[in-house]
Amino acid sequence: MSKIERVGVSLDKKLLSMFDELIAARGYSNRSEAIRDLIRDRLSEERLAKPATRAVAGVFLVYDHHSTELPRKLVDLQHSHLLQVIASTHVHLDHHNCLEVIMLRGKVREIEKVANDMAALKGVKLSKVNIMTTGQDLA
Ligand code: NI
């Protein structure tokens, strides 16, 4: 870990009280850890706005496995993006529906392309992408 420096921050009383309520509800035991996480989150968001930033992501897809071509197309897409696909897992949700979680790694622009291609497949009912930086350089 890099050297620690202490900083003092002046805040409006009401704003601080709302912040304390928020972090208590989130389970933080002190302000310092909550503030560090907020700063990392903000820095990560700024980096994700740049297409060349290296990132990791989880793509969540819910689909009907009776959809004839979809399972094969989903596997084909993963095989054609071997550099980006780290892992995938499949959960049978009920008689019809499956959840596929595909973990991707690469530049933001590559991840977005692969995730969009997967979400656009016919038969995918719901999709969500959770993308974040790798945490590199974020003390
Ligand atoms: Ni299934």
Side-chain angles (χ1 to χ4, degrees), residues 6 24 26 34 37 44 54 59-60 88 97-98 101 103-104 109 112 115 119 126 139:
R6 296 180 71 88
R26 295 279 180 95
D37 280 359
S44 183
R54 299 203 67 77
V59 180
F60 293 72
S88 69
N97 296 301
C98 300
V101 182
M103 281 149 272
L104 302 173
R109 77 164 74 85
E112 285 175 346
L126 297 166

Side-chain angles (χ1 to χ4, degrees), residues 67-86:
S67 178
T68 49
E69 291 291 292
L70 181 64
R72 187 186 57 76
K73 284 186 176 170
L74 204 50
V75 171
D76 285 350
L77 257 180
Q78 292 184 57
H79 277 275
S80 59
H81 292 93
L82 283 177
L83 284 177
Q84 283 80 37
V85 176
I86 311 169

Side-chain angles (χ1 to χ4, degrees), residues 66-132:
H66 294 118
S67 178
T68 49
E69 291 291 292
L70 181 64
R72 187 186 57 76
K73 284 186 176 170
L74 204 50
V75 171
D76 285 350
L77 257 180
Q78 292 184 57
H79 277 275
S80 59
H81 292 93
L82 283 177
L83 284 177
Q84 283 80 37
V85 176
I86 311 169
S88 69
T89 190
H90 183 105
V91 179
H92 313 296
L93 296 174
D94 57 40
H95 185 68
H96 300 284
N97 296 301
C98 300
L99 167 69
E100 188 100 4
V101 182
I102 301 152
M103 281 149 272
L104 302 173
R105 174 172 55 196
K107 292 178 179 168
V108 169
R109 77 164 74 85
E110 298 164 348
I111 288 174
E112 285 175 346
K113 167 85 172 81
V114 179
N116 286 339
D117 287 351
M118 289 173 174
L121 287 173
K122 193 172 176 231
V124 172
K125 293 180 176 177
L126 297 166
S127 68
K128 196 148 272 202
V129 181
N130 192 354
I131 186 168
M132 61 183 77

Side-chain angles (χ1 to χ4, degrees), residues 45-61:
E45 285 301 314
E46 291 290 324
R47 291 174 182 181
L48 288 174
K50 297 174 186 146
T53 296
R54 299 203 67 77
V56 287
V59 180
F60 293 72
L61 304 169

